[in-house]
Amino acid sequence: MEIWHNPRCSKSRAAKAALDEAGVEYTERRYLDEPPTAEELDAVLTRIGAEPWDVARLNEPVAKELGLKDLEHDRARWIEVMVANPVLIQRPIVLTGGEAVVARDPDSVKKALDSR
């Protein structure tokens, strides 16, 4: 199990605390310090069952600077932009054996824990 985590984010801290409380072993990836590659992000999006624009943080200042809301829905281009600007990736993301979940609420964290 792995969590893509930003320690400054309250939802990310809550998901990490829930994993700790459940007593599961996991790897913490501070994705702002260690951004995913395009291949990793593509694979995670596939596991989530989402497109990059579904998990983009469109209210981030860099999203506005890049005009992300108006960017054509081209999966490869969006992944490229998100990898170059990892702050745009929704957090936290919990990866289990074959599934990945954007774990922004207790139900999503529970789903990730149940899918181990």
Side-chain angles (χ1 to χ4, degrees), residues 1-33:
M1 185 173 273
E2 180 176 33
I3 182 171
W4 289 10
H5 175 62
N6 177 354
R8 292 184 304 227
C9 171
S10 63
K11 301 225 183 255
S12 195
R13 289 192 309 268
K16 187 174 180 294
L19 297 179
D20 290 340
E21 187 175 307
V24 298
E25 289 186 28
Y26 62 90
T27 302
E28 177 183 339
R29 180 174 185 170
R30 294 185 178 195
Y31 72 98
L32 295 178
D33 299 328

Side-chain angles (χ1 to χ4, degrees), residues 41 48 66 71 73 116:
L41 183 55
I48 292 171
L66 295 169
L71 186 65
H73 283 184
R116 306 180 271 144

Side-chain angles (χ1 to χ4, degrees), residues 26-79:
Y26 62 90
T27 302
E28 177 183 339
R29 180 174 185 170
R30 294 185 178 195
Y31 72 98
L32 295 178
D33 299 328
E34 184 187 342
T37 64
E39 294 78 18
E40 287 174 316
L41 183 55
D42 185 47
V44 166
L45 289 167
T46 298
R47 288 168 66 181
I48 292 171
E51 294 296 337
W53 44 88
D54 297 329
V55 299
R57 297 177 53 84
L58 297 176
N59 290 327
E60 289 291 331
V62 70
K64 293 176 183 178
E65 290 170 21
L66 295 169
L68 204 55
K69 285 185 181 181
D70 299 321
L71 186 65
E72 180 183 344
H73 283 184
D74 175 295
R75 184 179 174 101
R77 177 70 182 122
W78 274 72
I79 288 173

